Amino acid sequence: MATSERTAPAETAGLSGESWLALSALLAGAFLGTLDTTVVNIALNTIRDHFGVSV
């Protein structure tokens, strides 16, 4: 009976730990950019009212 070696998906794809770290940082940055835009868009009405600006 032949046996085959099993490898982790990261080893199969040739990605190192540093590559996963870089990808994680990139995705976190993209998420935080989207979150920041959402928070500002929601807060704009309150900011506008606070400073008495009319559009």
Side-chain angles (χ1 to χ4, degrees):
M1 195 187 283
T3 60
S4 62
E5 291 184 31
R6 292 186 170 225
T7 57
E11 293 174 3
T12 303
L15 297 177
S16 67
E18 290 177 353
S19 296
W20 285 111
L21 182 62
L23 178 61
S24 299
L26 182 68
L27 292 175
F31 171 74
L32 289 176
T34 303
L35 181 66
D36 179 50
T37 302
T38 302
V39 168
V40 169
N41 282 331
I42 291 171
L44 281 177
N45 290 329
T46 304
I47 295 169
R48 185 187 67 214
D49 293 342
H50 178 74
F51 289 111
V53 177
S54 62
V55 180

